[in-house]
Amino acid sequence: MKKAIYKPTNQNTIILSQTDGYCEILLDNDYKTVSIDDLAFEDEQVKFSTLDELKENIFINCIKNPLSDILYSYNTNRLTPEPHQYKPLIKFLNSENSRVLIADEVGLGKTIEAGMIYKEIDKREELKVSLIIVPSSLTLKWQEELAIRFDEHFEIYKTNQFINFIDEFDRYSSSRLFNEKIIISYHTLRDERVMQKLEDSFFEVDFLIMDEAHTMRNYKTSTFKSGQMITSRSEHILFLTATPVQNSLEDLFNILSLLDNDYFKDFDYFQKMIRPNATIHRLIALIRNSHSLDEIKAFAQEYISNEFPTELQEIFNDIATMQSLPSSKKVEFIDRLTQADHLSFIINRTKKKDVGRSLPRNATSIIVEINEAEQAYYDAVIAFVKFIYPHVPQGFITIMPERMVSSSMLASLESFKKLQRSGKLLVSDVDDLDAEYEDYTIEHEAKRYLDDIIFKGEQIGESDSKFLRFEEVLRDLDSQNIKQKILFSFFKKTLDYLEPKLQNLGYSVGKIHGDFSTEERFAKVKAFKRGEFDILLSSEVGSEGLDMQFCNVVINYDLPWNPMRVEQRIGRIDRIGQQFDKLHIFNLCITGSIEDRIYNRLYTKLGIFENSIGELEPILGDLEKQL
């Protein structure tokens, strides 16, 4: 009897007899007559391989047909990733078009997650051009992180260097090998010369990372248009932002349209597609935050209807019939609800609560009552705003004077004196990361209003009600032996004003804003980490991407229109590795001022985020109740 393999089922068999091109075999305990062509005889079979040959064959097959459930880059990094940091990597490997938005909460390690994905794709494919695009203030941070954690050395290119590289690519991409790893800023990307060069070239990117991707949310800006241009010629794309919804759902749609323009083409359809998300994320929040089973079941029963997809109705029904909800079932339902979110295929969102990293946030709003002289000054500014309003384009410039005065009365007085001398409202006084505004020239008739503002401002003297309330906060923190604090303000003049005031109180102070170079800001943050000063004064340039988990206090001396800016500010301290067991957030607000309106607007915008992406930790405090 001969041994053979029955080819159709690849089973071992025994040949009992052979005649006229047919064989009788024993297969599955039964006798069968089959064609001799369906059999592979023992001497025709492939010989046994050595262990080295087997390894070589497996390696070759993995290169030809990459597997999504085996990590080729495992143990090639200089770090041990947290378990949750594998989630975006698995999602990316299973993505049909190699595009993912990592929207993890601030401080969970999105840079590490991006580095892990880059290393994995680099092991699987030949990457000729790898490009990372970040805000200018983060170029050095990214370069350092990739070198230390992944042994990957990226070059930072300025605008002219990047233009020259595009030229070099066009000339030599077909004749020589490229292995370029480059970091540029959004400022470089949206430069008119760069955009024109990209439009005229055959430049291609194999792996693209765009950090703080929310900067591209407005389709009318040059940042968005440059984002369109670079993503259209990129193969693998990663977007990173903890705050993809800043003002409206359209923000999220615009960002996702850059990732996948085929899927996200129509905003009306997008709104219908994610309509169940508000219910999904509310139910997830109830389960995650350990609300009573009766409350969870009642919520699920309320939304059992034909409005939602069948899979979602099945989840609601399963929850509504539960007699108990142990931890294993909570995890199961949260996972099923997350999968029911129609954005889950392209967005990875991990919360600190999901991974046991959530720290209590003590968010406190400090109400400031101003005196008569300060109120008269504020009223004079309002009169000025009303005068220029019909002549000034609506938006940021219209409210800028009112926001300056509510940020700091005495600091704004210097700005109004400067405005009187120059006749121009200078956007450069503000560090607004989203702004693409131009200075505005004030009409001659407005000068008399400025005269009144300056006169009444000088009547205030040294009195500063907001700073006095701020002093109370500092004394309370000092009594708790809390040494280091970060203070944020929208306005450079406010920071310049606060620096000597705090030094006179005996505090050592550091300061960063847009007038400092990237290198200077980077060095200042490192000095703060070494404990060289007590208080870091920062404008918006310090609110993104910088790690300061050695500190646990954020003071918002003024509030931005955008609640995600507040979350970004808090995110500087609410990070993996935070050394304290509680975070303190203080929001100062002058009652009866524009800050009241800002506060109420922030609450509305927070609702938009939570309905589409998921819940947020406290950022504002109880000011609404106090007002």
Side-chain angles (χ1 to χ4, degrees), residues 43-287:
D43 57 354
E44 297 174 356
Q45 295 176 42
V46 178
K47 67 180 180 67
F48 286 106
S49 300
T50 65
L51 180 59
D52 287 341
E53 289 172 329
L54 177 62
K55 289 180 178 178
E56 182 179 346
N57 285 331
I58 292 174
F59 177 75
I60 291 171
N61 275 283
C62 286
I63 293 296
K64 289 181 177 178
N65 303 291
L67 306 172
S68 63
D69 55 352
I70 293 179
L71 301 183
Y72 293 22
S73 61
Y74 191 69
N75 281 340
T76 64
N77 305 323
R78 293 177 170 178
L79 76 160
T80 303
E82 299 283 339
H84 73 269
Q85 291 172 335
Y86 286 101
K87 283 176 57 183
L89 172 54
I90 301 304
K91 188 183 289 287
F92 193 87
L93 293 178
N94 290 313
S95 170
E96 293 183 1
N97 61 357
S98 297
R99 283 156 166 72
V100 165
L101 167 61
I102 302 178
D104 293 1
E105 280 191 325
V106 287
L108 284 176
K110 289 185 290 297
T111 307
I112 291 174
E113 291 169 345
M116 291 170 63
I117 295 172
Y118 168 75
K119 290 284 283 190
E120 182 67 25
I121 301 304
D122 188 41
K123 291 295 180 184
R124 291 165 175 258
E125 301 180 20
E126 181 185 351
L127 301 179
K128 295 180 179 179
V129 178
S130 302
L131 180 64
I132 300 175
I133 304 173
V134 301
S136 301
S137 58
L138 301 183
T139 53
L140 289 171
K141 175 182 179 288
W142 267 88
Q143 185 183 51
E144 184 180 78
E145 288 262 319
L146 290 168
I148 293 174
R149 298 182 185 276
F150 297 97
D151 196 24
E152 293 290 343
H153 302 280
F154 279 69
E155 293 290 328
I156 297 172
Y157 279 11
K158 302 295 185 183
T159 303
N160 288 334
Q161 290 174 292
F162 189 55
I163 290 171
N164 291 338
F165 174 69
I166 297 171
D167 284 333
E168 184 182 350
F169 183 91
D170 280 343
R171 285 196 300 269
Y172 302 116
S173 60
S174 60
S175 61
R176 73 175 176 89
L177 293 176
F178 277 82
N179 182 22
E180 303 299 325
K181 304 171 186 178
I182 300 167
I183 299 174
I184 65 170
S185 68
Y186 283 102
H187 178 77
T188 291
L189 181 66
R190 65 174 175 257
D191 185 281
E192 290 183 3
R193 296 169 296 159
V194 171
M195 291 178 68
Q196 187 62 53
K197 183 66 70 174
L198 286 173
E199 190 171 341
D200 297 338
S201 80
F202 297 101
F203 184 68
E204 293 179 342
V205 178
D206 297 295
F207 197 96
L208 174 67
I209 298 174
M210 303 188 81
D211 193 17
E212 308 297 354
H214 53 267
T215 59
M216 298 182 289
R217 68 185 181 274
N218 186 344
Y219 74 92
K220 296 178 181 178
T221 63
S222 61
T223 305
F224 180 88
K225 293 179 177 68
S226 63
Q228 275 184 316
M229 195 167 289
I230 199 68
T231 53
S232 67
R233 54 191 68 221
S234 299
E235 184 176 358
H236 304 289
I237 305 177
L238 267 181
F239 281 4
L240 279 61
T241 173
T243 54
V245 180
Q246 303 263 318
N247 296 295
S248 69
L249 269 180
E250 199 168 355
D251 295 343
L252 180 60
F253 173 76
N254 290 337
I255 292 169
L256 292 176
S257 72
L258 292 177
L259 267 184
D260 191 342
N261 189 245
D262 291 330
Y263 194 83
F264 299 99
K265 278 184 176 294
D266 183 79
F267 181 60
D268 291 335
Y269 175 74
F270 173 74
Q271 286 182 297
K272 292 176 184 176
M273 179 181 73
I274 68 168
R275 192 165 291 153
N277 280 20
T279 305
I280 289 172
H281 292 299
R282 175 58 182 151
L283 187 51
I284 289 175
L286 290 173
I287 297 172

Side-chain angles (χ1 to χ4, degrees), residues 336-354:
R336 289 174 64 188
L337 286 164
T338 300
Q339 293 303 318
D341 179 345
H342 284 296
L343 299 180
S344 64
F345 78 98
I346 199 168
I347 297 179
N348 186 89
R349 171 91 174 156
T350 301
K351 290 179 57 59
K352 294 185 180 73
K353 285 183 179 178
D354 298 336

Side-chain angles (χ1 to χ4, degrees), residues 473-491:
V473 172
L474 291 177
R475 283 197 295 271
D476 181 54
L477 292 172
D478 289 343
S479 70
Q480 299 176 55
N481 201 31
I482 297 175
K483 182 176 175 58
Q484 289 188 294
K485 307 102 181 166
I486 304 170
L487 180 146
F488 285 101
S489 173
F490 207 61
F491 295 93

Side-chain angles (χ1 to χ4, degrees), residues 361-366 585 587 599 603 606 617-626:
R361 285 187 181 184
N362 179 28
T364 306
S365 294
I366 309 297
I585 300 103
N587 305 306
Y599 191 90
Y603 259 110
L606 282 173
E617 297 299 311
I619 66 175
L620 294 177
D622 56 357
L623 178 63
E624 188 175 45
K625 295 177 185 176
Q626 297 179 50

